[in-house]
Amino acid sequence: MRRYSRIAGTGSFLPPRRLTNADLAAELAGRGVETSDEWIVERTGIRARHFAAPDVASSDLAFEACQRALEAAGVGPADIDLIIVATSTPDMVFPSTACILQNKLAQTSEAARGILGCAAFDVQAVCSGFVYALAVADSMVQTGAARRALVVGAEVFSRILDFNDRTTCVLFGDGAGAVVLEASDTPGILSTDLHADGRHVGILCVPGNVSGGLVLGDPLLKMDGQAVFKLAVGVLEKAAHAALAKAGKTEADIDWLIPHQANIRIMQGTAKKLKLPLEKVVVTVDQHGNTSAASIPLALDSAVRAGRIQRGDTLLLEGVGGGFTWGAVLLNL
């Protein structure tokens, strides 16, 4: 009998500090940077975002999201035998945020210590990270390398923003989302489609690193917004159609599109190309901003807990990010 993987539970977490566009504009004004709610909404659709406190790391946000996902799945940490964290803002150079998360989950109870010893690693594909991580976990479950996985997207992008650049600092937020993916006799994840094109590394990057205790280059986010926009809509359409074709499905089979929450214009453009009404698109970018690898699982959990997405629905998840990376996952919830 063939082995499949299926999402058993979802969870998410946003840090308490919420900044509206007006809040952010007031803070930026103190730096001599001008922006406004109208300017941000018109160009991005973003109205608010959440920023983590200075002492809160990606693993802390991931921990909270995982606790909720585990509860929704009706399992405990000891039932997990694989942890994959998608992040571009890890707690430290090494060890992985996944290993740090594993330790935090193990401390919740004596029984939870059973999670220690399972495989744990990070995936770095920027805003496509959760799609990449889900595809990897699906493959490992299908081959029998894992039985039940925590797949997480967690980011503290506020740490790498240039608050003197209004074209980028207004876009991003912090948060985490997680799913429990488990082995199943019936198909859950139907198909995946992943890609990258390294020729475009310069259009979205953080061109800095650490050497000898010093930061070399620039440790803040840089983006060519127009170049990203032009690439994004085209590659997302291709990945979506490729995932549908692999599963023998068409656009008409999609109940919900859950795109990376980067920019409402990109999301609208993708929906139009897939001939999907906007009512079938899960949108959280207005309240979360762009949370990079966390955006898709955050949007998924938000729609599940609101009762919009139901068991049995067919979902298309897709993301695009620095690298340049992109991909899609088609699944039955």
Side-chain angles (χ1 to χ4, degrees), residues 32-333:
V33 179
E34 292 187 12
T35 192
S36 68
D37 175 66
E38 294 77 15
W39 188 89
I40 298 170
V41 172
E42 179 185 352
R43 287 162 177 78
T44 69
I46 297 169
R47 297 182 182 277
R49 75 286 293 146
H50 291 249
F51 283 172
D55 61 343
V56 172
S58 287
S59 66
D60 295 314
L61 302 181
F63 173 81
E64 298 293 343
C66 287
Q67 291 278 70
R68 290 160 172 76
L70 289 166
E71 181 181 5
V75 298
D79 298 308
I80 298 299
D81 57 6
L82 172 65
I83 304 171
I84 305 179
V85 175
T87 185
S88 296
T89 52
D91 288 23
M92 56 184 74
V93 175
F94 66 82
S96 69
T97 301
C99 285
I100 297 171
L101 170 63
Q102 181 189 51
N103 182 53
K104 289 180 178 179
L105 289 168
Q107 305 308 311
T108 57
S109 70
E110 186 62 33
R113 293 181 64 81
I115 196 173
L116 297 173
C118 79
F121 57 90
D122 291 355
V123 166
Q124 165 52 302
V126 200
C127 302
S128 306
F130 183 77
V131 168
Y132 266 63
L134 195 58
V136 172
D138 171 55
S139 295
M140 293 182 70
V141 171
Q142 284 196 52
T143 61
R147 183 175 59 88
R148 187 175 287 117
L150 270 174
V151 186
V152 192
E155 303 283 15
V156 284
F157 253 57
S158 58
R159 309 284 163 77
I160 57 173
L161 299 180
D162 181 354
F163 286 98
N164 292 310
D165 178 7
R166 73 168 182 169
T167 65
T168 58
C169 71
V170 301
L171 303 179
F172 297 90
D174 304 337
V179 301
V180 173
L181 190 73
E182 64 182 18
S184 171
D185 294 333
T186 57
I189 292 185
L190 304 176
S191 64
T192 64
D193 189 67
L194 304 180
H195 300 275
D197 188 342
R199 292 175 298 175
H200 304 292
V201 294
I203 66 174
L204 179 55
C205 61
V206 178
N209 56 66
V210 177
S211 177
L214 302 175
V215 174
L216 299 184
D218 191 334
L220 301 178
L221 184 145
K222 308 297 177 187
M223 181 174 72
D224 181 339
Q226 288 298 318
V228 169
F229 185 92
K230 289 178 182 178
L231 272 172
V233 176
V235 299
L236 286 175
E237 179 194 8
K238 291 178 181 177
H241 281 128
L244 288 167
K246 289 178 182 179
K249 303 288 186 179
T250 69
E251 296 98 328
D253 295 307
I254 301 171
D255 292 309
W256 292 98
L257 172 65
I258 309 180
H260 166 49
Q261 308 286 311
N263 182 303
I264 193 63
R265 292 181 178 180
I266 295 176
M267 296 160 66
Q268 291 170 340
T270 302
K272 183 177 181 180
K273 286 182 176 292
L274 294 175
K275 302 180 180 65
L276 291 176
L278 292 181
E279 292 76 20
K280 286 192 172 186
V281 182
V282 177
V283 178
T284 58
V285 68
D286 57 326
Q287 296 302 314
H288 299 170
N290 181 348
T291 54
S292 191
S295 78
I296 291 175
L298 268 168
L300 171 62
D301 184 56
S302 175
V304 167
R305 290 177 186 268
R308 298 173 67 196
I309 291 178
Q310 301 289 329
R311 277 288 172 195
D313 284 352
T314 298
L315 318 179
L316 179 65
L317 319 182
E318 56 177 10
V320 61
F324 199 72
T325 64
W326 66 95
V329 174
L330 186 70
L331 62 91
N332 285 337
L333 189 65

Side-chain angles (χ1 to χ4, degrees), residues 10-33:
T10 67
S12 63
F13 182 75
L14 292 163
R17 186 187 177 207
R18 179 178 182 270
L19 284 87
T20 65
N21 288 342
D23 295 331
L24 185 58
E27 290 193 9
L28 294 176
R31 296 171 172 263
V33 179

